[in-house]
């Protein structure tokens, strides 16, 4: 390659460029460039001839980092973003990149002027200087950005543009989200435009539409935006230095944030609230700045914007988007959450202990001394032509109601639980089964309404059967009073059930020789039944309040939305762990009933379950059939 | 007399052992249930208390933003390292402005890298050429340039990155041959449904190999969608001709390696060096220069004194690689034999900077 030393050539080169020796291979490169015309059209400086290769990289052992020199060629070729129209030297110093190997990288100044070429070939100078001025006046001035220290170490190289904290290579968003007709018409949508805009009034329509369609949507998907803000607002050191709460964390755990985690692109993102009308993301102000959209006197307007909650009352804004319970001690929200946690432990705890001890008894094969006797009696009753029918614990109507409840509960759990634990990987999968959050949420609302209706139907059924039986209910023919009718319901739980539950616990804890006996419904059955009542009322009321949050804001403060959300979510959790762990074990997984107690299918209770849990019923039926004397039932009842 | 006593002895023993087994299984099952319930209860209660006591932290979906281009970042695919499958365009590490939505397919069968001795981007010394050499590492195994072979042309063959076994030319090249080869051009003048299906299949396969290349996938879908006798199909074939070369970027789903005709396998490392490699990894850094050099000779027993240069392969006549034999279509071979690129590389390799001509600027 000594030919490059030719003096004349070198002088010519120096004269033209005013610097450095100019070797002959440029002729070869010229040939190359002529050969790659297709690339050159989109990449006038032919940088992509080399930089289009993903492997054009090296590992920098000193910094333990990959120096990735790859530039996605499709970005330029297909102009995937606004910077796809720029030449590389629009940002990179020409002196550094016009020689191979390139000179050390000169940091890019995002406010420098660049050239945009329009379809007529005219160049326009452009720069982001106005953005710099906006930022300087905002909550994110250069002085603050340049002093940021991160717990994870420096995130940018020295001298790199501070814009990179928030921005990377901008990409147009999918235009069909904003203009759905593009999906069906494809490129044909431009045919009419091209009549004039191809030549007469040259405009790159396709680029223009993609640009506008992208701008009609948020700059980034909701979650990606949270990611951008989290760079600083969730960094421990940045928060400590600037005394900031972890606003991104509390947002992501909020109603909106969870929707974002589950892929909802229409839910409120950080900018929805923190950028006011007529402002842009570079004009965010601290919440104490009167110009800020979240300044106390303006925040209601942010919530009640036309796109968010247009019909809401101003007091709707009292709902906390950034509620973080552990740092909200002393508030009603904290107290309510604490109360629900205590309720959960007080109700789930004893039930769990009983189930565990029962399994423990199976493990050690402990049986009470009357078991064999009751079992023989139960077998005898079951063999009696009338016995099996009389041992049916649930009527066909009750079984249908139970299975309707099973379906409603399961759908509510499948659609609701992922919303509570939206940050878990499985949550998005489950929501995906429903076709996305919007569908899952709609299903949740209407099935929840179904549950409320179901409760009302059941109450009607209870009233019908209870009051319908009243005339014949008393041997003397006297009608029972209302209270007496209610307390006579088979699922009514009184002090005797409480006492039996304690006796059961004592038996299971080896403090009694024999367990108490139960009739058609055990204390566990009654407790679960009451739990369903309580849960449906709490979940129904709070669910309705949340569903119509904008409407309810005309009667209740936004704080009630917080409280309703807390009650709804903690009560749902209680219901799910009770049913998902204990009830499922009791009726499906327990060795006494596995693989499924048919009691709610055919009405027949398995023998082991009859013996262990409903011996009183067995003795009662045996007595009715004349198989034992009346004393036996009493004896079994006091065993 | 109870019924059981009337049973014959072997039957009774069988029933008894069955009852014992059933009892053991029932008790084991109960024990498992106890463990599961305790565990689930623990998780539930822990969650409840944490929700009230521990301040909220941002979840991984938000916090797992890659902050630097460490090697481990690049080993993972985009959606994994960004942990954000829900987003349209996951961010690159902050200090890296340009987007990269994928990464070179790791070669799990390259002994040089999987041994732990060399990185997937092995060339790091000479600033002038290291990136260009690493660029070749995506489609050419180290053996081609670094392992001795007396044959001319070199016994080189494709091997699949999926299983490390010899394979035919990659789909991208076959598709290019299909639309640029002289015979094929004639056939495509009157294409059949079979031609259309084959072209679409090749394009799909090529897209898959090129990290899913959406434009290629789209092209494949369009080729499959139009009527084969239509003008639109001919237009699409023309588009395929011009578009495919944009995807010859070393992402073929296959790589070239020296081929051992005796074993009928690609040479993916120095044979019989496992012990030496192990020794090198264990104590290579503690050895004195002489022992170190001696051990390195044992690690690389067939290493070329001088690795191949660009012009050894990238030349029309007398090149060490028979590109035609490897399935490169004529049009692609012409591109590889253009002197401009390798002359430029060899020029800068000699230590002289290469100034881009002024007319390339806009």
């Amino acid at each position: 390659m000594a030919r490059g030393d030719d003096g004349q050539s070198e002088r010519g080169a120096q004269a033209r460029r005013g610097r450095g020796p100019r070797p002959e291979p440029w002729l070869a490169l010229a040939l190359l460039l002529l050969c790659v015309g297709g690339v050159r059209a989109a990449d006038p400086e032919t940088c992509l001839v080399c930089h289009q290769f993903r492997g054009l990289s090296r590992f920098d052992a000193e910094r333990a980092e990959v120096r990735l020199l790859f530039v996605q060629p499709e970005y330029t070729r297909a102009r995937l973003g606004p910077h796809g129209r720029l030449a590389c030297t629009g940002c990179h110093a020409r002196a550094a990149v016009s020689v191979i190997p390139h000179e050390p990288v000169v940091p890019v100044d995002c406010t420098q002027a660049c050239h945009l070429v329009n379809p007529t070939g005219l160049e326009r100078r452009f720069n982001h200087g106005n953005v710099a001025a906006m930022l300087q006046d905002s909550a994110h001035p250069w002085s603050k950005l340049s002093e940021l220290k991160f717990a994870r170490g420096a995130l940018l190289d020295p001298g790199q543009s501070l814009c990179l904290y928030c921005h990377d290579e901008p990409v147009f968003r999918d235009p069909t989200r904003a203009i759905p007709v593009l999906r069906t018409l494809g490129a044909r949508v431009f045919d009419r435009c091209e009549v004039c805009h191809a030549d007469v009034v040259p405009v790159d329509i396709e680029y223009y539409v993609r640009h506008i369609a992208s701008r009609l949507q948020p700059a980034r998907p909701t979650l990606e935006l949270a990611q951008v803000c989290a760079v600083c607002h969730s960094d421990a050191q940045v928060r400590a230095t600037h005394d900031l709460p972890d606003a991104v964390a509390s947002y992501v755990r909020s109603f909106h944030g969870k929707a974002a985690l589950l892929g909802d692109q229409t839910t409120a993102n950080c900018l929805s609230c923190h950028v006011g009308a007529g402002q842009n993301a570079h004009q965010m102000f601290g919440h104490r700045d009167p110009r800020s959209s979240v300044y106390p006197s303006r925040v209601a307007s942010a919530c009640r914007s036309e796109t968010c909650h247009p019909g809401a009352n101003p007091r709707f804004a009292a709902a906390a988007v950034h509620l973080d319970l552990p740092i909200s001690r002393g508030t009603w929200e904290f107290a309510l959450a604490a109360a629900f946690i205590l309720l959960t432990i007080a109700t789930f705890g004893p039930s769990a202990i009983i189930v565990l001890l029962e399994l423990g008894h199976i493990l050690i094969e402990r049986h009470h001394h009357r078991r064999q006797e009751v079992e023989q009696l139960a077998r005898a009753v079951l063999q009696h032509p009338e016995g099996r029918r009389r041992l049916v614990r649930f009527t066909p109507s009750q079984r249908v109601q139970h299975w309707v409840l099973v379906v409603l509960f399961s759908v509510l759990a499948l659609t609701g639980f992922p919303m509570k634990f939206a940050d878990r990987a499985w949550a998005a999968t489950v929501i995906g089964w429903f076709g996305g959050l919007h569908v899952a949420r709609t299903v949740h609302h209407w099935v929840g309404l179904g549950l409320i209706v179901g409760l009302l139907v059941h109450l009607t059924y209870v009233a019908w059967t209870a009051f319908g039986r009243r005339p014949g209910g008393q041997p003397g023919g006297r009608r029972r009073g209302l209270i007496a009718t209610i307390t006579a319901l088979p699922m009514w739980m009184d002090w005797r059930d409480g006492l039996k539950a304690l006796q059961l616990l004592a038996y299971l804890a080896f403090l009694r020789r024999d367990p108490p006996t139960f009739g058609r419904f055990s204390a566990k059955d009654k407790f679960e039944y009451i739990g369903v009542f309580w849960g449906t009322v709490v979940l129904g009321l709070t669910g309705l309040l949340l569903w119509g949050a904008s409407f309810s804001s005309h009667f209740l403060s936004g704080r009630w939305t917080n409280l309703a959300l807390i009650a709804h979510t903690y009560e749902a959790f209680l219901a799910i762990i009770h049913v998902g762990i204990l009830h499922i074990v009791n009726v499906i997984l327990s060795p006494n009933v596995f693989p499924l107690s048919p009691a709610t299918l055919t009405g027949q209770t398995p023998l082991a379950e009859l013996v262990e849990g409903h011996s009183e019923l067995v003795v009662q039926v045996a007595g009715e059939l004349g198989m034992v004397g009346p004393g036996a039932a009493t004896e079994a009842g006091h065993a | 007399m109870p019924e059981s006593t009337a049973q014959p002895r072997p039957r009774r023993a069988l029933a008894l052992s069955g009852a014992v087994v059933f009892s053991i299984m029932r008790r084991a099952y109960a024990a498992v249930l106890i463990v599961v319930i305790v565990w689930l209860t623990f998780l539930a209660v822990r969650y409840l208390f944490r929700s009230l006591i521990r301040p909220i932290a941002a979840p991984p979906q938000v916090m797992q933003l890659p902050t630097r281009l460490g090697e481990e970042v690049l080993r993972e695919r985009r959606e994994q390292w960004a942990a954000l499958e829900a987003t349209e365009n996951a961010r690159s590490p902050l200090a890296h402005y340009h987007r990269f939505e994928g990464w070179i397919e790791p070669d799990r069968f390259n002994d040089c890298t999987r041994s732990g001795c060399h990185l997937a981007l092995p060339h790091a010394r000479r600033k002038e050429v290291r990136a260009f050499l690493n660029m070749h590492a995506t489609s050419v195994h180290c053996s081609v340039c670094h392992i001795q072979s007396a044959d001319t042309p070199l016994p080189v063959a494709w091997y699949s990155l999926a299983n490390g076994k010899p394979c035919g030319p990659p789909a991208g090249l076959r598709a290019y041959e299909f639309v640029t080869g002289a015979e094929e051009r004639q056939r495509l003048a009157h294409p059949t449904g079979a031609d259309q299906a084959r072209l679409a299949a090749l394009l799909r396969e090529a897209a898959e190999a090129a990290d899913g290349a959406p434009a290629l996938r789209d092209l494949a879908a369009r080729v499959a969608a139009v009527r084969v006798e239509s003008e639109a199909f001919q237009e699409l074939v023309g588009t395929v001709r011009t578009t495919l070369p944009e995807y010859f970027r070393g992402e073929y789903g296959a790589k070239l390696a020296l081929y051992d005709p005796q074993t009928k396998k690609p040479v993916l490392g120095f044979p019989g060096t496992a012990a030496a490699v192990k020794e090198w990894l264990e104590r290579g850094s503690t050895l004195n220069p002489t022992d170190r050099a001696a051990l390195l000779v044992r690690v690389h027993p067939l290493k070329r004194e001088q690795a191949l240069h660009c012009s050894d392969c990238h030349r029309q006549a007398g090149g060490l690689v028979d590109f035609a034999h490897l399935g490169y279509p004529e049009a692609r071979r012409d591109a590889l034999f253009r002197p401009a690129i390798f002359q430029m590389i060899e020029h800068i390799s000699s230590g002289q900077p290469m100034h881009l001509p002024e007319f390339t600027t806009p």
Side-chain angles (χ1 to χ4, degrees), chain B residues 1-13 15-16:
Chain B
M1 184 182 272
E3 205 176 287
S4 61
T5 54
Q7 287 178 347
R9 187 172 289 177
R11 243 171 138 190
R12 214 168 58 193
L16 192 66

Side-chain angles (χ1 to χ4, degrees), chain B residues 141-222:
Chain B
H141 185 271
C142 317
S143 60
V144 176
C145 300
H146 293 283
I147 292 186
Q148 296 170 11
S149 174
D151 298 326
T152 301
L154 294 171
V156 175
W158 291 101
Y159 71 97
S160 165
L161 290 178
N163 55 26
K165 291 179 182 166
C167 62
L173 292 179
R174 280 184 284 144
Y176 199 43
E177 174 71 35
F178 196 73
V179 292
T180 59
E183 238 177 76
E184 285 80 359
R185 269 177 179 267
Q186 280 185 350
R187 202 168 70 222
L188 282 178
H190 307 285
T192 63
D195 294 327
Q196 181 185 27
R198 178 163 163 70
L199 181 57
L202 284 172
L203 288 172
R204 274 195 292 269
E205 203 182 323
E208 193 60 38
D211 205 28
L216 268 188
R217 267 201 319 239
D218 180 50
L219 201 53
R222 286 163 60 200

Side-chain angles (χ1 to χ4, degrees), chain A residues 21-36:
Chain A
R22 174 92 161 224
E24 190 186 358
W26 71 266
L27 282 171
L29 190 66
L31 283 172
L32 163 75
L33 300 176
L34 291 172
C35 295
V36 290

Side-chain angles (χ1 to χ4, degrees), chain B residues 28-61:
Chain B
Y29 176 60
V32 170
L33 277 183
I34 289 173
V35 172
V36 171
I37 293 172
V38 168
W39 176 242
L40 290 175
T41 303
F42 165 73
L43 292 180
V45 173
R46 187 181 68 170
Y47 163 75
L48 286 173
F49 279 105
R50 280 186 173 178
S51 73
L52 205 59
I53 292 168
R54 207 157 76 164
I56 295 171
Q61 288 95 324

Side-chain angles (χ1 to χ4, degrees), chain B residues 64 66 73-74 76-83 91-93 100:
Chain B
Q64 279 181 4
V73 166
L74 293 176
E76 305 297 329
R77 290 182 60 81
R78 174 193 104 117
E79 60 269 25
Q80 287 161 335
W81 58 254
R91 293 195 76 188
S92 307
F100 58 103

